[in-house]
Amino acid sequence: MFGFSRRRMKLGRLKVQLSDHAQGTRSPLRHPKRFSNSNAEGAAHGNDHSDDLDCQCPSAAPDVNGCTSGSCESWMPLSTAGDTPTPRFNHAAAVVGNKMVVVGGECGNGLMDDVQVLNFDQFSWTTASSKIYLSPTSLPLKIPACKGHSLVSWGKKALLIGGKTDPASAKVSVWAFDTETECWSLMEAKGDIPAARSGHTVVRANSALILFGGEDAKRRKLNDLHMFDLKSMTWLPLHCRGPGPSPRSNHVATAYDDRLLYIFGGSSKSKTLNDLYSLDFETMMWTRIKVRGFHPSPRTGCTGVLCGSKWYIVGGGSRKKRHVETLIFDVLKVEWSVAVASPPYSITTNKGFSLVLVQHKEKDLLVAFGGCKKELSNQVEVLRLEKHEYSSGRKTTQNRGPGKLLNQLNSAPPCPTDCVVRQNLASIIDEHGSSRRSMSESVLVNPNPASGNVSLRKQFNNEEESAYKLANSSDEDGSFIQFMEQRKPPETASITKTSSKITEERHCSPDSENISAHNSVIDKPPLDIEEIVFPETEGKSAVMSAASTIYHMYETKMAALMKKNGMLEGQLAVALAGREAAERNLSSALKSRQEMEKKLGDTVKEMELLKEKLAAVELAQEEANSLSNIVHSDNVRLEHDVAFLKAVLDDTQKELHSTRGVLANERARAFQLQVEVFHLKQRLQSLENRAPTPRKPFQV
């Protein structure tokens, strides 16, 4: 009976601990009660936490861990040391190690191309001193001034992608800034390079950059999706299924678990958006997510970072107003909520500020920088987030195996044969006493038995064990008679002594007498000790009659218990047979499970091989596409060459035809000349044939 009460006490303590644990893991981020009174609320937040988070201390390393209330409910300015950067907006920032790298932006004098670094160990600003940038040809090169670009961390480097640059470019360029050497390098990109743009988003998933949307040089909104492989330096267009986001710019994007891409907000050609889309990289299917919880208002120019499974979206607005609330989208619950409302003087109400997630001394901080409202800003503000520890809250219970159950059954204390009557007597007393536990208590003590057969065997062993312990305890206290005297009233003490003497004679009698006595009383109905009425006389006859009556009663009880024992042994044999069958079934199930696990491992290996083959096929397809592009360009060039050669051939044929005519004329003229020469030769010959006769000299 005491075991049951202790069990209940333990269960009660367990419930209290579980309830305390459930209350202790409650999120510290509380929703603002009213947004209409955001100014007063932000001021109240700042006053309440001015002592908890003293971020404006003049030292070089301010204390950002002083918030003892569990979470900071307002954005607080952070005091920094070093060379304060020039106020700017429309810049980009990324965290590399313990540093925040800020690149470019726009100030009053135009676009900027500097690099500012905030070290979170000393909370000091430094300017990257290197002005020589390394190009692939080892020639001095300088990054262009830019705004509306994206900055993504990759190892110890910060990657700058796209943006509106000065001088302008036709394609998106990718630059890498090494935080150790403070040098830039231009990454030679291949493939289908997307057109230049600004106001786009770039997220990194493993070793690939995912670019979406933006605005091109002609101020046209885009909704194309591209991937840049950082290993092969190749751009690839991504083709998706389903209705995707409309063309937009100045939106926010994030990648969860390198598997899901989320797009929220932004501005289209005619309106400001507040829709949310997700893209599954496995199925390449766009899905529009329905609004649950808080309904976010349309906003553009907002910033966002992912912390665990919560996507924090800060700032933004429309053409009419800027929003002051910091939103949270829970990726697992698919639900919107509000973390905090910013005071009106916070830089998170500016446009064009940057937002990064920093892990400082095992604490998560949102760090905002810069922006522009009426004037440009170079202020830094932080919002501390409480780390949520996800624990199961409950311990796994190990099922008892067949070996443990067998050991527990075999470890039951044996019952010696010389204590049968004492055990039966103890069991009878235990039945009528208050120490016997009820069936409900036994169920509560062991709420998860292994099986029905095992619980039956355990119940029988428990009965024998309790009787055996009761008899032993009576022996250790002096005698069984003294034990009975303590539990019986004074008037029944003499009767108890007599029954104990008869019991001892019963132990000393031979087995044949026991068997005959058992056979003589086995058919008698059982008697109850409460039905026996003893006379108060002190004569021998009364004592002997009472003793004989108790003797017969105990004999009857012993016979019933032996009969019950036989029945329980039969049930135990059946239970053991069932247990053996269950063990055989369990062994066969374990074998089948091992076979299934082996098949599953083979299937996983085959899937990996198929994935490798698919990657090889995709690579071959890309190579084939590049080769087809090369062949197409070669064909076009050859067609131009053939057309040019045809034109040259036509001109040559015309010149040849005219040359043939001239040659025919020359041949005719030569023939005429030959004829004339022939005639001249004939005349000359005729003249030679007509030689004059010599004249005689004149004589006088």
Side-chain angles (χ1 to χ4, degrees):
M1 59 185 299
F2 293 103
F4 174 64
S5 61
R6 290 170 186 166
R7 179 69 176 180
R8 294 185 62 181
M9 290 171 64
K10 291 180 181 178
L11 290 175
R13 285 197 294 268
L14 181 59
K15 291 179 181 179
V16 172
Q17 291 175 2
L18 290 178
S19 62
D20 294 341
H21 177 73
Q23 294 176 1
T25 57
R26 184 175 55 189
S27 174
L29 302 177
R30 293 181 291 185
H31 298 270
K33 295 182 180 178
R34 293 174 297 181
F35 290 104
S36 60
N37 194 14
S38 61
N39 298 343
E41 193 173 2
H45 291 164
N47 295 332
D48 292 341
H49 294 276
S50 60
D51 297 331
D52 295 335
L53 179 60
D54 187 11
C55 295
Q56 295 181 348
C57 57
S59 60
D63 184 14
V64 297
N65 304 323
C67 185
T68 59
S69 62
S71 65
C72 295
E73 297 186 357
S74 179
W75 287 89
M76 302 296 293
L78 179 67
S79 178
T80 58
D83 298 332
T84 305
T86 305
R88 67 191 68 200
F89 71 106
N90 288 336
H91 53 279
V95 175
V96 180
N98 61 342
K99 301 176 181 178
M100 181 178 72
V101 181
V102 179
V103 179
E106 187 176 3
C107 65
N109 298 328
L111 301 183
M112 307 178 69
D113 60 353
D114 60 339
V115 179
Q116 305 290 333
V117 179
L118 176 61
N119 192 325
F120 288 103
D121 290 337
Q122 294 84 22
F123 289 92
S124 60
W125 285 100
T126 56
T127 303
S129 59
S130 176
K131 295 299 181 182
I132 302 298
Y133 308 105
L134 302 178
S135 65
T137 57
S138 299
L139 296 176
L141 199 63
K142 188 176 182 180
I143 66 167
C146 54
K147 73 171 183 177
H149 49 284
S150 296
L151 199 65
V152 180
S153 62
W154 183 43
K156 297 181 180 179
K157 296 182 180 180
L159 305 179
L160 188 150
I161 306 98
K164 184 177 181 180
T165 60
D166 185 17
S169 62
K171 299 291 183 181
V172 171
S173 58
V174 181
W175 296 80
F177 177 74
D178 194 331
T179 56
E180 293 183 349
T181 61
E182 295 187 349
C183 289
W184 285 97
S185 61
L186 178 64
M187 304 178 74
E188 288 286 344
K190 300 178 292 184
D192 191 358
I193 304 175
R197 64 193 67 198
S198 63
H200 55 282
T201 55
V202 177
V203 297
R204 183 173 65 87
N206 287 330
S207 61
L209 300 179
I210 308 298
L211 182 145
F212 176 79
E215 184 180 76
D216 62 2
K218 297 181 181 179
R219 301 184 65 84
R220 292 178 299 186
K221 306 294 182 180
L222 306 171
N223 66 341
D224 51 348
L225 190 67
H226 298 267
M227 182 185 75
F228 180 68
D229 190 358
L230 294 172
K231 295 181 179 179
S232 60
M233 306 293 181
T234 305
W235 282 100
L236 292 174
L238 298 179
H239 303 286
C240 307
R241 299 179 297 170
S246 59
R248 65 190 66 199
S249 64
N250 296 322
H251 52 279
V252 287
T254 189
Y256 175 72
D257 199 18
D258 294 338
R259 186 176 58 87
L260 295 174
L261 174 67
Y262 289 92
I263 304 293
F264 171 73
S267 61
S268 64
K269 185 177 181 180
S270 59
K271 64 178 181 178
T272 306
L273 306 171
N274 65 339
D275 50 356
L276 176 63
Y277 285 85
S278 68
L279 174 65
D280 192 339
F281 290 137
E282 295 180 357
T283 60
M284 296 304 292
M285 175 74 73
W286 282 108
T287 304
R288 181 167 181 174
I289 300 177
K290 296 181 180 180
V291 177
R292 290 179 54 190
F294 179 78
H295 196 286
S297 55
R299 62 193 66 207
T300 181
C302 50
T303 57
V305 293
L306 184 68
C307 181
S309 62
K310 290 180 171 53
W311 189 17
Y312 291 85
I313 298 176
V314 185
S318 59
R319 296 178 181 177
K320 297 181 180 180
K321 59 176 289 189
R322 304 291 298 178
H323 301 296
V324 298
E325 66 267 19
T326 298
L327 301 177
I328 299 178
F329 177 72
D330 196 318
V331 178
L332 300 180
K333 296 180 181 178
V334 194
E335 186 177 3
W336 287 96
S337 61
V338 177
V340 63
S342 303
Y345 53 82
S346 174
I347 64 172
T348 57
T349 60
N350 296 351
K351 68 174 183 179
F353 68 95
S354 62
L355 181 71
V356 295
L357 175 66
V358 179
Q359 293 182 351
H360 178 72
K361 294 182 180 179
E362 298 181 355
K363 291 179 176 59
D364 294 332
L365 303 174
L366 295 183
V367 180
F369 169 72
C372 175
K373 184 179 290 183
K374 295 181 180 179
E375 296 180 356
L376 297 177
S377 174
N378 61 352
Q379 190 177 359
V380 180
E381 291 187 1
V382 297
L383 175 67
R384 178 185 166 190
L385 308 178
E386 182 180 2
K387 282 195 174 183
H388 299 274
E389 298 179 358
Y390 299 98
S391 60
S392 60
R394 51 184 179 180
K395 299 179 181 179
T396 58
T397 58
Q398 299 179 353
N399 295 327
R400 296 181 178 179
K404 290 186 177 181
L405 290 176
L406 185 60
N407 293 332
Q408 290 180 1
L409 290 176
N410 295 332
S411 63
C415 182
T417 57
D418 58 349
C419 297
V420 176
V421 179
R422 182 174 296 182
Q423 290 179 11
N424 295 331
L425 181 60
S427 62
I428 292 169
I429 296 172
D430 197 21
E431 282 181 357
H432 298 279
S434 61
S435 61
R436 173 175 287 274
R437 293 183 300 177
S438 63
M439 183 60 69
S440 61
E441 292 175 353
S442 63
V443 172
L444 287 174
V445 170
N446 188 12
N448 294 320
S451 63
N453 297 329
V454 176
S455 62
L456 182 63
R457 170 69 181 270
K458 191 173 182 180
Q459 182 182 356
F460 177 71
N461 289 333
N462 287 336
E463 291 178 357
E464 293 183 348
E465 184 179 358
S466 61
Y468 184 69
K469 288 181 178 179
L470 186 59
N472 290 337
S473 63
S474 64
D475 291 338
E476 291 175 359
D477 291 338
S479 65
F480 183 71
I481 298 173
Q482 295 178 0
F483 175 75
M484 292 297 296
E485 287 177 354
Q486 293 177 3
R487 298 180 57 99
K488 295 294 180 179
E491 59 268 17
T492 60
S494 60
I495 301 173
T496 306
K497 291 180 180 180
T498 307
S499 63
S500 64
K501 291 180 180 179
I502 297 172
T503 306
E504 291 178 358
E505 293 176 357
R506 171 69 178 171
H507 284 292
C508 297
S509 62
D511 295 337
S512 60
E513 295 179 359
N514 294 338
I515 295 172
S516 61
H518 169 67
N519 294 330
S520 63
V521 297
I522 193 168
D523 295 331
K524 294 182 180 180
L527 300 176
D528 196 353
I529 194 170
E530 296 178 357
E531 297 176 358
I532 302 172
V533 179
F534 299 101
E536 297 181 358
T537 60
E538 298 179 357
K540 274 186 178 182
S541 59
V543 174
M544 292 302 294
S545 61
S548 61
T549 305
I550 294 174
Y551 174 78
H552 288 295
M553 180 189 66
Y554 287 152
E555 285 291 333
T556 306
K557 289 290 184 179
M558 186 184 68
L561 287 174
M562 291 181 67
K563 185 177 180 179
K564 184 178 179 181
N565 190 15
M567 294 174 60
L568 290 175
E569 286 181 354
Q571 293 177 2
L572 179 61
V574 175
L576 290 175
R579 187 193 66 184
E580 293 177 356
E583 288 179 353
R584 288 195 296 270
N585 294 333
L586 180 60
S587 61
S588 61
L590 290 175
K591 289 181 181 179
S592 61
R593 179 183 176 182
Q594 292 176 357
E595 293 177 357
M596 292 299 294
E597 288 179 352
K598 186 176 180 181
K599 291 181 181 179
L600 182 61
D602 297 337
T603 306
V604 170
K605 291 181 181 179
E606 292 178 359
M607 288 180 62
E608 291 177 355
L609 293 175
L610 289 176
K611 286 182 180 180
E612 292 178 358
K613 291 181 180 179
L614 181 62
V617 169
E618 291 179 352
L619 184 60
Q621 185 178 3
E622 293 174 2
E623 293 178 355
N625 292 334
S626 61
L627 290 175
S628 63
N629 293 332
I630 295 172
V631 170
H632 180 70
S633 61
D634 293 340
N635 289 335
V636 172
R637 183 174 54 80
L638 290 175
E639 288 177 357
H640 288 295
D641 294 341
V642 168
F644 177 73
L645 291 175
K646 285 183 179 179
V648 172
L649 181 61
D650 293 338
D651 296 338
T652 305
Q653 287 179 353
K654 290 180 182 179
E655 291 178 359
L656 181 61
H657 184 69
S658 61
T659 304
R660 285 177 180 176
V662 173
L663 183 61
N665 295 331
E666 292 295 333
R667 285 179 178 176
R669 186 176 177 183
F671 182 74
Q672 291 177 1
L673 291 175
Q674 288 178 359
V675 171
E676 291 178 0
V677 169
F678 179 73
H679 288 303
L680 289 175
K681 285 182 178 181
Q682 286 182 353
R683 289 180 64 184
L684 181 61
Q685 188 175 4
S686 62
L687 290 175
E688 290 179 354
N689 292 334
R690 291 180 186 179
T693 57
R695 294 180 181 182
K696 293 179 180 182
F698 182 72
Q699 296 178 359
V700 180

